[in-house]
Amino acid sequence: MTTEPTAHGPVRHSTVHHDGVTIPVSRGGRGRPLVLCPGLNSTQAGLRELAALLRRDHDVVTFDLRGHGLAPAADRYSFDAFLSDLAAVQAALRLPSPPVLVGYSLGADLAVHHAAEHPGDVAGLVLIDGANPLPEPFIAEADLREFRAMADGLAARQLAERAEDGTRGAALTAQDIFALSLEIDVVRAALLDRYRRIDCPVRMIMSTSIAGDRAEGRAPRHNRLWRAGVERLVRARPQTSVSWLDAGHTLAFTHAPAIAEIVRGPA
């Protein structure tokens, strides 16, 4: 274990070993326990600003999913594999009380599944632009070619970033990213059943323009679908709190102060 001094006290760095992978974990701050779960192609280093803001009044745990950031590449990447990473991190922690789980993008979906499978182990959920129970697939047949191209570009950028800065980027191939995107659509189709098994407070922080603000192409449909999924959840679970930020899917990086204020607010 190593320790790094910060403005809000020391941050301790350690590792969790499970399923043949090594998960890097960082913990620091003071106050109520909070676990920050990154999303697909995001890392704890990328979420550094948000984590630092949350450490002002939370005991914050961050980590990298397999194949991301400081975590080495793995033999398999799937929703269940990433979910096992989150479960392993939480099982290894010695927190004084159940934590709030804050998940970004895919991390939000992982948080919902973890809370549904471990009742009593989670004090609350804050879901940032993810875990959306969409009424229909986000990636339609007409979108496949464009999403394959996006995965190609994203994989190349992630590998370059990982080579330049070992704390960032991901080792996933374009095929890994594309397959996971399709799998997430399937997972979200059944999310309402997971929400029905959760008895802790749930707050959603969602982007108004997840697909960008263009008036043509796929953006209008995807933005409408994103809002429709949230409305579907609120109808099924009226106690869900929802905040919309005028932002794109990178809101966890571009709007960290606003997100931290919402997290600090009353449940």
Side-chain angles (χ1 to χ4, degrees), residues 40 76-84 106 109-110 113 132 134 137-139 144 147 172 175-191:
L40 185 62
R76 66 188 181 102
Y77 301 106
S78 67
F79 186 87
D80 284 344
F82 291 136
L83 184 60
S84 75
L106 167 65
D109 295 81
L110 299 176
H113 278 247
N132 195 336
L134 302 175
F138 196 74
I139 305 175
L144 291 177
F147 268 84
L172 281 66
Q175 181 56 37
D176 291 328
I177 295 170
F178 182 70
L180 284 162
S181 298
L182 295 177
E183 184 181 8
I184 292 167
D185 256 0
V186 174
V187 168
R188 288 177 177 165
L191 260 183

PDB file of all heavy atoms in Angstrom, residues 40 76-84 106 109-110 113 132 134 137-139 144 147 172 175-191:
ATOM      1  N   LEU A  40     -17.354   2.340 -18.979  1.00  0.00           N
ATOM      2  CA  LEU A  40     -16.588   1.769 -20.072  1.00  0.00           C
ATOM      3  C   LEU A  40     -15.679   2.838 -20.669  1.00  0.00           C
ATOM      4  O   LEU A  40     -16.131   3.942 -20.983  1.00  0.00           O
ATOM      5  CB  LEU A  40     -17.541   1.230 -21.139  1.00  0.00           C
ATOM      6  CG  LEU A  40     -16.926   0.477 -22.317  1.00  0.00           C
ATOM      7  CD1 LEU A  40     -16.201  -0.768 -21.843  1.00  0.00           C
ATOM      8  CD2 LEU A  40     -18.016   0.119 -23.328  1.00  0.00           C
ATOM      9  N   ARG A  76     -11.178 -11.731 -20.482  1.00  0.00           N
ATOM     10  CA  ARG A  76     -12.568 -11.552 -20.884  1.00  0.00           C
ATOM     11  C   ARG A  76     -13.094 -10.202 -20.414  1.00  0.00           C
ATOM     12  O   ARG A  76     -12.722  -9.716 -19.351  1.00  0.00           O
ATOM     13  CB  ARG A  76     -13.446 -12.684 -20.332  1.00  0.00           C
ATOM     14  CG  ARG A  76     -13.563 -12.707 -18.813  1.00  0.00           C
ATOM     15  CD  ARG A  76     -14.285 -13.948 -18.299  1.00  0.00           C
ATOM     16  NE  ARG A  76     -14.391 -13.928 -16.838  1.00  0.00           N
ATOM     17  CZ  ARG A  76     -15.498 -13.604 -16.179  1.00  0.00           C
ATOM     18  NH1 ARG A  76     -16.589 -13.253 -16.856  1.00  0.00           N
ATOM     19  NH2 ARG A  76     -15.542 -13.614 -14.866  1.00  0.00           N
ATOM     20  N   TYR A  77     -13.937  -9.643 -21.245  1.00  0.00           N
ATOM     21  CA  TYR A  77     -14.625  -8.397 -20.905  1.00  0.00           C
ATOM     22  C   TYR A  77     -16.117  -8.613 -21.169  1.00  0.00           C
ATOM     23  O   TYR A  77     -16.510  -8.935 -22.287  1.00  0.00           O
ATOM     24  CB  TYR A  77     -14.126  -7.233 -21.764  1.00  0.00           C
ATOM     25  CG  TYR A  77     -12.645  -6.967 -21.628  1.00  0.00           C
ATOM     26  CD1 TYR A  77     -11.762  -7.317 -22.655  1.00  0.00           C
ATOM     27  CD2 TYR A  77     -12.117  -6.391 -20.475  1.00  0.00           C
ATOM     28  CE1 TYR A  77     -10.402  -7.081 -22.533  1.00  0.00           C
ATOM     29  CE2 TYR A  77     -10.758  -6.161 -20.345  1.00  0.00           C
ATOM     30  CZ  TYR A  77      -9.907  -6.506 -21.373  1.00  0.00           C
ATOM     31  OH  TYR A  77      -8.551  -6.274 -21.258  1.00  0.00           O
ATOM     32  N   SER A  78     -16.906  -8.459 -20.134  1.00  0.00           N
ATOM     33  CA  SER A  78     -18.345  -8.605 -20.247  1.00  0.00           C
ATOM     34  C   SER A  78     -18.975  -7.839 -19.098  1.00  0.00           C
ATOM     35  O   SER A  78     -18.301  -7.441 -18.143  1.00  0.00           O
ATOM     36  CB  SER A  78     -18.768 -10.080 -20.177  1.00  0.00           C
ATOM     37  OG  SER A  78     -18.501 -10.602 -18.884  1.00  0.00           O
ATOM     38  N   PHE A  79     -20.287  -7.649 -19.187  1.00  0.00           N
ATOM     39  CA  PHE A  79     -20.967  -6.955 -18.096  1.00  0.00           C
ATOM     40  C   PHE A  79     -20.764  -7.704 -16.785  1.00  0.00           C
ATOM     41  O   PHE A  79     -20.445  -7.098 -15.756  1.00  0.00           O
ATOM     42  CB  PHE A  79     -22.461  -6.814 -18.412  1.00  0.00           C
ATOM     43  CG  PHE A  79     -23.200  -5.992 -17.394  1.00  0.00           C
ATOM     44  CD1 PHE A  79     -23.268  -4.617 -17.521  1.00  0.00           C
ATOM     45  CD2 PHE A  79     -23.827  -6.606 -16.315  1.00  0.00           C
ATOM     46  CE1 PHE A  79     -23.933  -3.852 -16.567  1.00  0.00           C
ATOM     47  CE2 PHE A  79     -24.496  -5.845 -15.363  1.00  0.00           C
ATOM     48  CZ  PHE A  79     -24.547  -4.465 -15.494  1.00  0.00           C
ATOM     49  N   ASP A  80     -20.939  -9.016 -16.800  1.00  0.00           N
ATOM     50  CA  ASP A  80     -20.793  -9.792 -15.572  1.00  0.00           C
ATOM     51  C   ASP A  80     -19.359  -9.735 -15.037  1.00  0.00           C
ATOM     52  O   ASP A  80     -19.151  -9.726 -13.813  1.00  0.00           O
ATOM     53  CB  ASP A  80     -21.196 -11.240 -15.806  1.00  0.00           C
ATOM     54  CG  ASP A  80     -22.712 -11.410 -15.879  1.00  0.00           C
ATOM     55  OD1 ASP A  80     -23.434 -10.484 -15.463  1.00  0.00           O
ATOM     56  OD2 ASP A  80     -23.161 -12.469 -16.364  1.00  0.00           O
ATOM     57  N   ALA A  81     -18.378  -9.702 -15.932  1.00  0.00           N
ATOM     58  CA  ALA A  81     -16.988  -9.619 -15.485  1.00  0.00           C
ATOM     59  C   ALA A  81     -16.730  -8.284 -14.785  1.00  0.00           C
ATOM     60  O   ALA A  81     -16.095  -8.234 -13.723  1.00  0.00           O
ATOM     61  CB  ALA A  81     -16.046  -9.788 -16.672  1.00  0.00           C
ATOM     62  N   PHE A  82     -17.227  -7.194 -15.371  1.00  0.00           N
ATOM     63  CA  PHE A  82     -17.061  -5.885 -14.737  1.00  0.00           C
ATOM     64  C   PHE A  82     -17.828  -5.821 -13.416  1.00  0.00           C
ATOM     65  O   PHE A  82     -17.362  -5.227 -12.440  1.00  0.00           O
ATOM     66  CB  PHE A  82     -17.528  -4.772 -15.673  1.00  0.00           C
ATOM     67  CG  PHE A  82     -16.653  -4.561 -16.876  1.00  0.00           C
ATOM     68  CD1 PHE A  82     -17.212  -4.382 -18.129  1.00  0.00           C
ATOM     69  CD2 PHE A  82     -15.277  -4.524 -16.757  1.00  0.00           C
ATOM     70  CE1 PHE A  82     -16.412  -4.172 -19.245  1.00  0.00           C
ATOM     71  CE2 PHE A  82     -14.462  -4.329 -17.861  1.00  0.00           C
ATOM     72  CZ  PHE A  82     -15.032  -4.142 -19.110  1.00  0.00           C
ATOM     73  N   LEU A  83     -19.019  -6.434 -13.378  1.00  0.00           N
ATOM     74  CA  LEU A  83     -19.798  -6.453 -12.144  1.00  0.00           C
ATOM     75  C   LEU A  83     -19.031  -7.181 -11.044  1.00  0.00           C
ATOM     76  O   LEU A  83     -19.063  -6.780  -9.873  1.00  0.00           O
ATOM     77  CB  LEU A  83     -21.143  -7.125 -12.401  1.00  0.00           C
ATOM     78  CG  LEU A  83     -22.138  -7.164 -11.239  1.00  0.00           C
ATOM     79  CD1 LEU A  83     -22.489  -5.757 -10.783  1.00  0.00           C
ATOM     80  CD2 LEU A  83     -23.402  -7.925 -11.647  1.00  0.00           C
ATOM     81  N   SER A  84     -18.319  -8.230 -11.415  1.00  0.00           N
ATOM     82  CA  SER A  84     -17.528  -8.957 -10.422  1.00  0.00           C
ATOM     83  C   SER A  84     -16.373  -8.106  -9.903  1.00  0.00           C
ATOM     84  O   SER A  84     -15.959  -8.252  -8.749  1.00  0.00           O
ATOM     85  CB  SER A  84     -17.000 -10.272 -11.014  1.00  0.00           C
ATOM     86  OG  SER A  84     -15.914 -10.064 -11.907  1.00  0.00           O
ATOM     87  N   LEU A 106     -21.580   3.055 -17.799  1.00  0.00           N
ATOM     88  CA  LEU A 106     -21.653   1.633 -17.463  1.00  0.00           C
ATOM     89  C   LEU A 106     -21.547   1.433 -15.954  1.00  0.00           C
ATOM     90  O   LEU A 106     -22.182   0.527 -15.394  1.00  0.00           O
ATOM     91  CB  LEU A 106     -20.534   0.871 -18.173  1.00  0.00           C
ATOM     92  CG  LEU A 106     -20.270  -0.563 -17.706  1.00  0.00           C
ATOM     93  CD1 LEU A 106     -21.463  -1.459 -18.003  1.00  0.00           C
ATOM     94  CD2 LEU A 106     -19.007  -1.121 -18.345  1.00  0.00           C
ATOM     95  N   ASP A 109     -24.886   1.288 -14.336  1.00  0.00           N
ATOM     96  CA  ASP A 109     -25.559   0.001 -14.509  1.00  0.00           C
ATOM     97  C   ASP A 109     -24.991  -1.036 -13.542  1.00  0.00           C
ATOM     98  O   ASP A 109     -25.742  -1.829 -12.956  1.00  0.00           O
ATOM     99  CB  ASP A 109     -25.382  -0.481 -15.950  1.00  0.00           C
ATOM    100  CG  ASP A 109     -26.072   0.429 -16.956  1.00  0.00           C
ATOM    101  OD1 ASP A 109     -25.495   1.479 -17.301  1.00  0.00           O
ATOM    102  OD2 ASP A 109     -27.180   0.103 -17.387  1.00  0.00           O
ATOM    103  N   LEU A 110     -23.679  -1.029 -13.368  1.00  0.00           N
ATOM    104  CA  LEU A 110     -23.060  -1.959 -12.426  1.00  0.00           C
ATOM    105  C   LEU A 110     -23.551  -1.689 -11.008  1.00  0.00           C
ATOM    106  O   LEU A 110     -23.828  -2.630 -10.249  1.00  0.00           O
ATOM    107  CB  LEU A 110     -21.536  -1.833 -12.487  1.00  0.00           C
ATOM    108  CG  LEU A 110     -20.871  -2.145 -13.830  1.00  0.00           C
ATOM    109  CD1 LEU A 110     -19.363  -1.877 -13.740  1.00  0.00           C
ATOM    110  CD2 LEU A 110     -21.126  -3.586 -14.258  1.00  0.00           C
ATOM    111  N   HIS A 113     -27.132  -3.097 -10.535  1.00  0.00           N
ATOM    112  CA  HIS A 113     -27.119  -4.553 -10.395  1.00  0.00           C
ATOM    113  C   HIS A 113     -26.535  -4.974  -9.052  1.00  0.00           C
ATOM    114  O   HIS A 113     -27.051  -5.901  -8.401  1.00  0.00           O
ATOM    115  CB  HIS A 113     -26.329  -5.184 -11.542  1.00  0.00           C
ATOM    116  CG  HIS A 113     -27.127  -5.335 -12.799  1.00  0.00           C
ATOM    117  ND1 HIS A 113     -27.492  -6.553 -13.321  1.00  0.00           N
ATOM    118  CD2 HIS A 113     -27.651  -4.413 -13.631  1.00  0.00           C
ATOM    119  CE1 HIS A 113     -28.201  -6.390 -14.411  1.00  0.00           C
ATOM    120  NE2 HIS A 113     -28.314  -5.088 -14.633  1.00  0.00           N
ATOM    121  N   ASN A 132     -30.080   3.413 -17.576  1.00  0.00           N
ATOM    122  CA  ASN A 132     -31.328   3.941 -18.121  1.00  0.00           C
ATOM    123  C   ASN A 132     -32.155   2.789 -18.692  1.00  0.00           C
ATOM    124  O   ASN A 132     -31.723   2.135 -19.643  1.00  0.00           O
ATOM    125  CB  ASN A 132     -31.016   4.971 -19.211  1.00  0.00           C
ATOM    126  CG  ASN A 132     -32.202   5.833 -19.570  1.00  0.00           C
ATOM    127  OD1 ASN A 132     -33.337   5.438 -19.371  1.00  0.00           O
ATOM    128  ND2 ASN A 132     -31.936   7.014 -20.118  1.00  0.00           N
ATOM    129  N   LEU A 134     -34.127   1.750 -21.003  1.00  0.00           N
ATOM    130  CA  LEU A 134     -34.632   2.220 -22.294  1.00  0.00           C
ATOM    131  C   LEU A 134     -35.800   1.380 -22.799  1.00  0.00           C
ATOM    132  O   LEU A 134     -35.804   0.161 -22.658  1.00  0.00           O
ATOM    133  CB  LEU A 134     -33.491   2.187 -23.316  1.00  0.00           C
ATOM    134  CG  LEU A 134     -32.257   3.017 -22.970  1.00  0.00           C
ATOM    135  CD1 LEU A 134     -31.162   2.794 -24.001  1.00  0.00           C
ATOM    136  CD2 LEU A 134     -32.599   4.500 -22.883  1.00  0.00           C
ATOM    137  N   PRO A 137     -33.951  -0.661 -27.969  1.00  0.00           N
ATOM    138  CA  PRO A 137     -32.489  -0.635 -28.060  1.00  0.00           C
ATOM    139  C   PRO A 137     -31.952   0.729 -28.493  1.00  0.00           C
ATOM    140  O   PRO A 137     -32.505   1.373 -29.387  1.00  0.00           O
ATOM    141  CB  PRO A 137     -32.174  -1.712 -29.097  1.00  0.00           C
ATOM    142  CG  PRO A 137     -33.342  -2.639 -29.034  1.00  0.00           C
ATOM    143  CD  PRO A 137     -34.534  -1.772 -28.753  1.00  0.00           C
ATOM    144  N   PHE A 138     -30.893   1.151 -27.856  1.00  0.00           N
ATOM    145  CA  PHE A 138     -30.238   2.405 -28.216  1.00  0.00           C
ATOM    146  C   PHE A 138     -29.571   2.276 -29.583  1.00  0.00           C
ATOM    147  O   PHE A 138     -29.585   3.196 -30.389  1.00  0.00           O
ATOM    148  CB  PHE A 138     -29.197   2.755 -27.146  1.00  0.00           C
ATOM    149  CG  PHE A 138     -28.726   4.180 -27.169  1.00  0.00           C
ATOM    150  CD1 PHE A 138     -29.545   5.207 -26.706  1.00  0.00           C
ATOM    151  CD2 PHE A 138     -27.458   4.502 -27.623  1.00  0.00           C
ATOM    152  CE1 PHE A 138     -29.109   6.525 -26.705  1.00  0.00           C
ATOM    153  CE2 PHE A 138     -27.020   5.809 -27.628  1.00  0.00           C
ATOM    154  CZ  PHE A 138     -27.841   6.826 -27.174  1.00  0.00           C
ATOM    155  N   ILE A 139     -28.992   1.093 -29.833  1.00  0.00           N
ATOM    156  CA  ILE A 139     -28.318   0.841 -31.102  1.00  0.00           C
ATOM    157  C   ILE A 139     -29.263   0.049 -31.998  1.00  0.00           C
ATOM    158  O   ILE A 139     -29.436  -1.166 -31.835  1.00  0.00           O
ATOM    159  CB  ILE A 139     -27.004   0.070 -30.895  1.00  0.00           C
ATOM    160  CG1 ILE A 139     -26.096   0.803 -29.901  1.00  0.00           C
ATOM    161  CG2 ILE A 139     -26.279  -0.114 -32.227  1.00  0.00           C
ATOM    162  CD1 ILE A 139     -24.825   0.063 -29.553  1.00  0.00           C
ATOM    163  N   LEU A 144     -25.681   0.298 -36.699  1.00  0.00           N
ATOM    164  CA  LEU A 144     -24.577  -0.635 -36.481  1.00  0.00           C
ATOM    165  C   LEU A 144     -23.285  -0.175 -37.140  1.00  0.00           C
ATOM    166  O   LEU A 144     -22.215  -0.213 -36.527  1.00  0.00           O
ATOM    167  CB  LEU A 144     -24.965  -2.030 -36.986  1.00  0.00           C
ATOM    168  CG  LEU A 144     -26.050  -2.743 -36.173  1.00  0.00           C
ATOM    169  CD1 LEU A 144     -26.395  -4.082 -36.816  1.00  0.00           C
ATOM    170  CD2 LEU A 144     -25.594  -2.940 -34.731  1.00  0.00           C
ATOM    171  N   PHE A 147     -21.765   2.774 -35.252  1.00  0.00           N
ATOM    172  CA  PHE A 147     -21.218   2.395 -33.949  1.00  0.00           C
ATOM    173  C   PHE A 147     -19.956   1.554 -34.096  1.00  0.00           C
ATOM    174  O   PHE A 147     -19.056   1.644 -33.252  1.00  0.00           O
ATOM    175  CB  PHE A 147     -22.271   1.658 -33.118  1.00  0.00           C
ATOM    176  CG  PHE A 147     -23.073   2.574 -32.243  1.00  0.00           C
ATOM    177  CD1 PHE A 147     -24.172   3.253 -32.752  1.00  0.00           C
ATOM    178  CD2 PHE A 147     -22.725   2.793 -30.921  1.00  0.00           C
ATOM    179  CE1 PHE A 147     -24.912   4.111 -31.956  1.00  0.00           C
ATOM    180  CE2 PHE A 147     -23.441   3.642 -30.119  1.00  0.00           C
ATOM    181  CZ  PHE A 147     -24.552   4.312 -30.630  1.00  0.00           C
ATOM    182  N   LEU A 172      -9.025  -2.390 -24.271  1.00  0.00           N
ATOM    183  CA  LEU A 172     -10.057  -3.080 -25.032  1.00  0.00           C
ATOM    184  C   LEU A 172      -9.898  -2.831 -26.532  1.00  0.00           C
ATOM    185  O   LEU A 172      -9.531  -1.731 -26.954  1.00  0.00           O
ATOM    186  CB  LEU A 172     -11.442  -2.622 -24.592  1.00  0.00           C
ATOM    187  CG  LEU A 172     -11.991  -3.235 -23.297  1.00  0.00           C
ATOM    188  CD1 LEU A 172     -11.178  -2.819 -22.087  1.00  0.00           C
ATOM    189  CD2 LEU A 172     -13.455  -2.847 -23.113  1.00  0.00           C
ATOM    190  N   GLN A 175     -13.566  -4.460 -31.235  1.00  0.00           N
ATOM    191  CA  GLN A 175     -14.596  -5.500 -31.146  1.00  0.00           C
ATOM    192  C   GLN A 175     -15.102  -5.641 -29.720  1.00  0.00           C
ATOM    193  O   GLN A 175     -16.301  -5.855 -29.494  1.00  0.00           O
ATOM    194  CB  GLN A 175     -14.060  -6.841 -31.644  1.00  0.00           C
ATOM    195  CG  GLN A 175     -15.071  -7.980 -31.603  1.00  0.00           C
ATOM    196  CD  GLN A 175     -16.355  -7.667 -32.371  1.00  0.00           C
ATOM    197  OE1 GLN A 175     -16.325  -7.019 -33.420  1.00  0.00           O
ATOM    198  NE2 GLN A 175     -17.489  -8.118 -31.849  1.00  0.00           N
ATOM    199  N   ASP A 176     -14.199  -5.527 -28.721  1.00  0.00           N
ATOM    200  CA  ASP A 176     -14.622  -5.564 -27.316  1.00  0.00           C
ATOM    201  C   ASP A 176     -15.622  -4.445 -27.036  1.00  0.00           C
ATOM    202  O   ASP A 176     -16.680  -4.667 -26.431  1.00  0.00           O
ATOM    203  CB  ASP A 176     -13.417  -5.388 -26.382  1.00  0.00           C
ATOM    204  CG  ASP A 176     -12.458  -6.556 -26.389  1.00  0.00           C
ATOM    205  OD1 ASP A 176     -12.905  -7.703 -26.587  1.00  0.00           O
ATOM    206  OD2 ASP A 176     -11.244  -6.314 -26.193  1.00  0.00           O
ATOM    207  N   ILE A 177     -15.286  -3.231 -27.476  1.00  0.00           N
ATOM    208  CA  ILE A 177     -16.132  -2.071 -27.210  1.00  0.00           C
ATOM    209  C   ILE A 177     -17.486  -2.217 -27.901  1.00  0.00           C
ATOM    210  O   ILE A 177     -18.536  -1.950 -27.303  1.00  0.00           O
ATOM    211  CB  ILE A 177     -15.419  -0.781 -27.659  1.00  0.00           C
ATOM    212  CG1 ILE A 177     -14.167  -0.547 -26.806  1.00  0.00           C
ATOM    213  CG2 ILE A 177     -16.351   0.425 -27.577  1.00  0.00           C
ATOM    214  CD1 ILE A 177     -13.266   0.558 -27.316  1.00  0.00           C
ATOM    215  N   PHE A 178     -17.464  -2.647 -29.147  1.00  0.00           N
ATOM    216  CA  PHE A 178     -18.714  -2.800 -29.893  1.00  0.00           C
ATOM    217  C   PHE A 178     -19.599  -3.870 -29.252  1.00  0.00           C
ATOM    218  O   PHE A 178     -20.806  -3.667 -29.060  1.00  0.00           O
ATOM    219  CB  PHE A 178     -18.413  -3.155 -31.343  1.00  0.00           C
ATOM    220  CG  PHE A 178     -19.631  -3.296 -32.207  1.00  0.00           C
ATOM    221  CD1 PHE A 178     -20.389  -2.192 -32.551  1.00  0.00           C
ATOM    222  CD2 PHE A 178     -20.026  -4.548 -32.672  1.00  0.00           C
ATOM    223  CE1 PHE A 178     -21.529  -2.323 -33.351  1.00  0.00           C
ATOM    224  CE2 PHE A 178     -21.155  -4.684 -33.467  1.00  0.00           C
ATOM    225  CZ  PHE A 178     -21.914  -3.571 -33.803  1.00  0.00           C
ATOM    226  N   ALA A 179     -19.008  -5.013 -28.898  1.00  0.00           N
ATOM    227  CA  ALA A 179     -19.783  -6.096 -28.290  1.00  0.00           C
ATOM    228  C   ALA A 179     -20.357  -5.676 -26.944  1.00  0.00           C
ATOM    229  O   ALA A 179     -21.515  -6.001 -26.620  1.00  0.00           O
ATOM    230  CB  ALA A 179     -18.909  -7.338 -28.124  1.00  0.00           C
ATOM    231  N   LEU A 180     -19.590  -4.937 -26.174  1.00  0.00           N
ATOM    232  CA  LEU A 180     -20.081  -4.471 -24.880  1.00  0.00           C
ATOM    233  C   LEU A 180     -21.209  -3.463 -25.046  1.00  0.00           C
ATOM    234  O   LEU A 180     -22.168  -3.453 -24.268  1.00  0.00           O
ATOM    235  CB  LEU A 180     -18.938  -3.857 -24.076  1.00  0.00           C
ATOM    236  CG  LEU A 180     -17.974  -4.873 -23.452  1.00  0.00           C
ATOM    237  CD1 LEU A 180     -16.666  -4.201 -23.058  1.00  0.00           C
ATOM    238  CD2 LEU A 180     -18.624  -5.531 -22.230  1.00  0.00           C
ATOM    239  N   SER A 181     -21.129  -2.622 -26.055  1.00  0.00           N
ATOM    240  CA  SER A 181     -22.196  -1.660 -26.317  1.00  0.00           C
ATOM    241  C   SER A 181     -23.511  -2.379 -26.609  1.00  0.00           C
ATOM    242  O   SER A 181     -24.577  -1.984 -26.118  1.00  0.00           O
ATOM    243  CB  SER A 181     -21.820  -0.750 -27.484  1.00  0.00           C
ATOM    244  OG  SER A 181     -20.658   0.009 -27.194  1.00  0.00           O
ATOM    245  N   LEU A 182     -23.434  -3.434 -27.392  1.00  0.00           N
ATOM    246  CA  LEU A 182     -24.637  -4.221 -27.680  1.00  0.00           C
ATOM    247  C   LEU A 182     -25.137  -4.942 -26.430  1.00  0.00           C
ATOM    248  O   LEU A 182     -26.348  -5.022 -26.187  1.00  0.00           O
ATOM    249  CB  LEU A 182     -24.343  -5.238 -28.784  1.00  0.00           C
ATOM    250  CG  LEU A 182     -23.994  -4.672 -30.170  1.00  0.00           C
ATOM    251  CD1 LEU A 182     -23.667  -5.805 -31.133  1.00  0.00           C
ATOM    252  CD2 LEU A 182     -25.129  -3.817 -30.716  1.00  0.00           C
ATOM    253  N   GLU A 183     -24.212  -5.441 -25.629  1.00  0.00           N
ATOM    254  CA  GLU A 183     -24.607  -6.151 -24.411  1.00  0.00           C
ATOM    255  C   GLU A 183     -25.284  -5.194 -23.430  1.00  0.00           C
ATOM    256  O   GLU A 183     -26.262  -5.567 -22.766  1.00  0.00           O
ATOM    257  CB  GLU A 183     -23.387  -6.802 -23.753  1.00  0.00           C
ATOM    258  CG  GLU A 183     -23.760  -7.631 -22.529  1.00  0.00           C
ATOM    259  CD  GLU A 183     -22.569  -8.274 -21.850  1.00  0.00           C
ATOM    260  OE1 GLU A 183     -21.424  -7.966 -22.215  1.00  0.00           O
ATOM    261  OE2 GLU A 183     -22.799  -9.077 -20.926  1.00  0.00           O
ATOM    262  N   ILE A 184     -24.787  -3.978 -23.330  1.00  0.00           N
ATOM    263  CA  ILE A 184     -25.388  -2.999 -22.416  1.00  0.00           C
ATOM    264  C   ILE A 184     -26.827  -2.713 -22.816  1.00  0.00           C
ATOM    265  O   ILE A 184     -27.705  -2.532 -21.961  1.00  0.00           O
ATOM    266  CB  ILE A 184     -24.538  -1.715 -22.380  1.00  0.00           C
ATOM    267  CG1 ILE A 184     -23.190  -2.005 -21.707  1.00  0.00           C
ATOM    268  CG2 ILE A 184     -25.264  -0.597 -21.633  1.00  0.00           C
ATOM    269  CD1 ILE A 184     -22.167  -0.901 -21.886  1.00  0.00           C
ATOM    270  N   ASP A 185     -27.113  -2.661 -24.118  1.00  0.00           N
ATOM    271  CA  ASP A 185     -28.496  -2.496 -24.576  1.00  0.00           C
ATOM    272  C   ASP A 185     -29.387  -3.608 -24.035  1.00  0.00           C
ATOM    273  O   ASP A 185     -30.515  -3.371 -23.578  1.00  0.00           O
ATOM    274  CB  ASP A 185     -28.547  -2.509 -26.105  1.00  0.00           C
ATOM    275  CG  ASP A 185     -28.738  -1.123 -26.703  1.00  0.00           C
ATOM    276  OD1 ASP A 185     -28.829  -0.139 -25.934  1.00  0.00           O
ATOM    277  OD2 ASP A 185     -28.803  -1.018 -27.935  1.00  0.00           O
ATOM    278  N   VAL A 186     -28.895  -4.838 -24.084  1.00  0.00           N
ATOM    279  CA  VAL A 186     -29.667  -5.984 -23.589  1.00  0.00           C
ATOM    280  C   VAL A 186     -29.873  -5.870 -22.079  1.00  0.00           C
ATOM    281  O   VAL A 186     -30.978  -6.115 -21.558  1.00  0.00           O
ATOM    282  CB  VAL A 186     -28.950  -7.306 -23.937  1.00  0.00           C
ATOM    283  CG1 VAL A 186     -29.667  -8.497 -23.305  1.00  0.00           C
ATOM    284  CG2 VAL A 186     -28.866  -7.483 -25.452  1.00  0.00           C
ATOM    285  N   VAL A 187     -28.821  -5.481 -21.370  1.00  0.00           N
ATOM    286  CA  VAL A 187     -28.910  -5.324 -19.913  1.00  0.00           C
ATOM    287  C   VAL A 187     -29.958  -4.274 -19.556  1.00  0.00           C
ATOM    288  O   VAL A 187     -30.785  -4.474 -18.655  1.00  0.00           O
ATOM    289  CB  VAL A 187     -27.528  -4.936 -19.344  1.00  0.00           C
ATOM    290  CG1 VAL A 187     -27.650  -4.472 -17.901  1.00  0.00           C
ATOM    291  CG2 VAL A 187     -26.562  -6.120 -19.432  1.00  0.00           C
ATOM    292  N   ARG A 188     -29.962  -3.161 -20.273  1.00  0.00           N
ATOM    293  CA  ARG A 188     -30.884  -2.070 -19.935  1.00  0.00           C
ATOM    294  C   ARG A 188     -32.325  -2.420 -20.249  1.00  0.00           C
ATOM    295  O   ARG A 188     -33.245  -1.862 -19.627  1.00  0.00           O
ATOM    296  CB  ARG A 188     -30.443  -0.789 -20.641  1.00  0.00           C
ATOM    297  CG  ARG A 188     -29.181  -0.214 -20.019  1.00  0.00           C
ATOM    298  CD  ARG A 188     -28.648   1.019 -20.714  1.00  0.00           C
ATOM    299  NE  ARG A 188     -27.475   1.524 -19.986  1.00  0.00           N
ATOM    300  CZ  ARG A 188     -26.606   2.401 -20.464  1.00  0.00           C
ATOM    301  NH1 ARG A 188     -26.778   2.900 -21.681  1.00  0.00           N
ATOM    302  NH2 ARG A 188     -25.581   2.794 -19.729  1.00  0.00           N
ATOM    303  N   ALA A 189     -32.556  -3.336 -21.154  1.00  0.00           N
ATOM    304  CA  ALA A 189     -33.922  -3.752 -21.470  1.00  0.00           C
ATOM    305  C   ALA A 189     -34.597  -4.411 -20.273  1.00  0.00           C
ATOM    306  O   ALA A 189     -35.826  -4.409 -20.159  1.00  0.00           O
ATOM    307  CB  ALA A 189     -33.918  -4.697 -22.662  1.00  0.00           C
ATOM    308  N   ALA A 190     -33.789  -4.975 -19.355  1.00  0.00           N
ATOM    309  CA  ALA A 190     -34.337  -5.672 -18.183  1.00  0.00           C
ATOM    310  C   ALA A 190     -34.093  -4.918 -16.880  1.00  0.00           C
ATOM    311  O   ALA A 190     -34.303  -5.472 -15.795  1.00  0.00           O
ATOM    312  CB  ALA A 190     -33.720  -7.071 -18.097  1.00  0.00           C
ATOM    313  N   LEU A 191     -33.690  -3.663 -16.966  1.00  0.00           N
ATOM    314  CA  LEU A 191     -33.286  -2.930 -15.763  1.00  0.00           C
ATOM    315  C   LEU A 191     -34.432  -2.645 -14.797  1.00  0.00           C
ATOM    316  O   LEU A 191     -34.215  -2.560 -13.585  1.00  0.00           O
ATOM    317  CB  LEU A 191     -32.632  -1.606 -16.153  1.00  0.00           C
ATOM    318  CG  LEU A 191     -31.102  -1.567 -16.130  1.00  0.00           C
ATOM    319  CD1 LEU A 191     -30.616  -0.177 -16.473  1.00  0.00           C
ATOM    320  CD2 LEU A 191     -30.548  -2.010 -14.789  1.00  0.00           C
TER     321      LEU A 191
END
